[in-house]
């Protein structure tokens, strides 16, 4: 008997899991030996390697998990729509739109993005929106944007609460390459600790309280730091999730390895994701600081750019 397949839906693909068939008794008084096919079934379930069928219909072990592969070129637009609404939105934008013109038209449709919006926010909010709402832009306005304002210093120190140490903060051009941003600017520290903080009001940014409490979407934190090639630097980061009274619910705080003198001026990426933080989160308080490790007058300390905070719902 061939193994049966049970399908479960993952976030971005459908995975076929091998399920062991029930044993059947064979009435054979002349021999207790099992058939070759039964031996294959029994052996396969004693290993972690799942089975698939080859062109001849024979069960074959593979090294990877069995995956259900389906040709979607023949399905109707309605069926394709129903499939794509379950694909994570970043996959829709970065991969699905590039498959073909037909897929692009479905991904860019207002109907799809209205459903994606409905998956994470209440219908009550949708009833307050006009019928000609641009659902795609609205969705990306909430979930695909950086909530940190002025992340690279293009607007000076606007939106940041700044504390100057040594000779203070300045804004300069990058010394190393940073592909993740189109800005050519970065914040530069001095020989004393220079710190800056930005507090994000999630409700004011458009996220409903019940969405934050019930769904508890991932909150993604990114930051990039580096230094000049001729002077080392020290960098620290601390991010707090706060309730409505600005009391701490969860904290990410981590010292990173000191950058030595005579380095390649490259940026180092910091990343953290807050998950399962419980109800009550209303603010994200993002702060970091840096200085040089030679105590040189001027601006030889940590260079920081492209600080990022994003809300990433895992069910859309």
């Amino acid at each position: 008997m061939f193994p049966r397949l049970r399908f479960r839906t993952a976030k971005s693909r459908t995975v076929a899991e091998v399920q062991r068939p029930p044993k059947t008794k064979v009435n054979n008084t002349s021999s207790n030996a099992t058939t070759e096919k039964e031996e294959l079934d029994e052996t396969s379930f004693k290993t972690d390697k799942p089975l698939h069928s080859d062109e001849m219909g024979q069960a074959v072990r593979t090294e990877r998990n069995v995956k259900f592969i389906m040709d979607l070129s023949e399905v109707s637009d309605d069926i394709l729509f129903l499939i794509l609404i379950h694909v994570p939105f970043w996959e829709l934008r970065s991969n699905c739109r590039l498959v073909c013109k037909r897929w692009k038209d479905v991904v860019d449709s207002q109907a799809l993005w209205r459903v994606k919006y409905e998956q994470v926010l209440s219908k009550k909010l949708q009833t307050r929106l006009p019928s000609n709402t641009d659902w795609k832009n609205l969705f990306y306005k909430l979930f695909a944007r950086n909530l940190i304002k002025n992340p690279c210093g293009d607007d000076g120190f606007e939106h940041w609460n700044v504390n100057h140490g040594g000779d203070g903060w300045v804004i300069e051009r990058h010394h190393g390459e940073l592909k993740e941003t189109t800005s050519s600017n970065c914040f530069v520290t001095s020989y004393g600790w220079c710190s800056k903080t930005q507090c994000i009001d999630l409700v004011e940014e458009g996220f409903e309280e019940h969405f934050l409490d019930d769904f508890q979407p991932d909150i993604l934190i990114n930051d990039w730091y580096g230094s000049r090639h001729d002077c080392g630097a020290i960098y620290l980061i601390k991010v707090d999730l706060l309730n409505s009274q600005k009391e701490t619910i969860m904290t990410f705080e981590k010292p990173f390895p000191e950058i030595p003198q005579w380095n390649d001026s490259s940026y180092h990426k910091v990343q953290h994701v807050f998950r399962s933080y419980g109800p009550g989160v209303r603010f994200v308080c993002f702060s970091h600081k840096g200085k040089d490790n030679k105590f040189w007058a001027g601006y030889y300390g940590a260079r920081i750019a492209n600080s990022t905070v994003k809300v990433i719902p895992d069910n859309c």
Side-chain angles (χ1 to χ4, degrees):
M1 180 180 294
F2 290 107
R4 295 180 298 175
L5 299 180
R6 181 180 75 251
F7 296 98
R8 60 183 174 84
T9 302
K11 286 184 178 179
S12 61
R13 62 183 184 274
T14 302
V15 181
E17 297 178 325
V18 175
Q19 185 180 27
R20 182 172 183 172
K23 292 183 178 179
T24 58
K25 295 182 179 180
V26 178
N27 295 325
N28 188 348
T29 58
S30 62
S31 175
N32 293 326
T34 58
T35 66
E36 182 180 350
K37 186 183 297 184
E38 289 171 335
E39 289 178 353
L40 179 57
D41 286 345
E42 289 294 324
T43 303
S44 65
F45 291 111
K46 293 178 182 178
T47 68
D48 293 329
K49 299 177 181 179
L51 302 177
H52 69 86
S53 296
D54 62 10
E55 294 180 356
M56 300 300 293
Q58 299 298 316
V60 179
R61 277 194 295 272
T62 59
E63 294 296 330
R64 296 184 178 181
N65 291 332
V66 177
K67 298 178 182 179
F68 179 64
I69 300 175
M70 180 179 180
D71 183 3
L72 298 179
S73 62
E74 301 299 326
V75 302
S76 66
D77 287 349
D78 291 339
I79 298 300
L80 181 61
F81 177 89
L82 292 175
I83 293 172
L84 292 180
I85 61 175
H86 296 289
V87 177
F89 72 90
W90 56 88
E91 294 283 357
L92 291 174
R93 181 178 63 173
S94 60
N95 293 321
C96 295
R97 290 183 79 253
L98 306 180
V99 172
C100 63
K101 183 181 184 302
R102 180 181 174 228
W103 281 47
K104 180 179 182 297
D105 291 341
V106 175
V107 171
D108 288 344
S109 68
Q110 291 297 320
L112 183 141
W113 290 101
R114 179 163 187 164
V115 172
K116 299 299 287 182
Y117 194 83
E118 181 180 320
Q119 288 174 348
V120 292
L121 295 179
S122 68
K123 292 183 179 180
K124 180 180 178 181
L125 176 61
Q126 293 185 52
T127 60
R128 302 200 297 265
L129 297 172
S131 58
N132 62 346
T133 297
D134 188 333
W135 296 100
K136 182 180 179 181
N137 287 341
L138 179 62
F139 189 92
Y140 275 90
K141 181 180 178 182
L142 280 178
F143 301 118
R145 64 190 173 103
N146 185 3
L147 300 177
I148 291 285
K149 298 178 176 63
N150 188 28
C152 297
D154 294 339
D155 299 320
F157 294 100
E158 188 175 355
H159 305 295
W160 290 97
N161 181 10
V162 179
N163 290 315
H164 297 278
D167 288 331
W169 288 92
V170 292
I171 297 169
E172 295 182 355
R173 299 287 184 176
H174 296 303
H175 279 207
E177 184 179 17
L178 185 57
K179 296 180 180 179
E180 288 78 4
T181 179
T182 57
S183 174
S184 58
N185 294 328
C186 64
F187 296 98
V188 184
T189 62
S190 186
Y191 61 87
W193 283 112
C194 297
S195 64
K196 56 189 179 73
T197 302
Q198 191 169 146
C199 193
I200 300 166
D201 186 333
L202 295 174
V203 176
E204 189 175 284
E205 293 292 339
F207 300 99
E208 291 187 320
E209 292 184 356
H210 86 87
F211 167 69
L212 295 170
D213 293 343
D214 297 341
F215 290 92
Q216 296 178 30
D218 291 353
I219 299 177
L220 171 68
I221 308 299
N222 284 333
D223 208 11
W224 281 260
Y225 73 98
S227 72
R228 294 170 55 109
H229 76 285
D230 55 356
C231 185
I234 305 171
Y235 164 90
L236 296 173
I237 184 173
K238 181 181 179 183
V239 184
D240 295 307
L241 302 186
L242 310 176
N243 63 16
S244 58
Q245 305 301 316
K246 294 196 173 181
E247 299 168 332
T248 301
I249 293 178
M250 187 176 288
T251 298
F252 167 67
E253 183 175 15
K254 185 176 180 180
F256 288 86
E258 186 173 318
I259 301 175
Q261 189 181 25
W262 309 118
N263 60 84
D264 61 3
S265 299
S266 63
Y267 279 95
H268 304 265
K269 183 178 181 179
V270 178
Q271 186 172 71
H272 179 73
V273 179
F274 287 102
R275 291 191 175 101
S276 303
Y277 40 78
V281 171
R282 299 295 180 266
F283 298 91
V284 179
C285 186
F286 184 105
S287 62
H288 52 202
K289 62 181 180 179
K291 64 177 182 177
D292 73 42
N293 61 3
K294 295 297 182 182
F295 206 70
W296 289 351
Y299 309 104
Y300 294 86
R303 309 171 73 83
I304 305 173
N306 204 33
S307 304
T308 304
V309 173
K310 289 185 178 181
V311 174
I312 308 291
D314 61 2
N315 63 330
C316 66

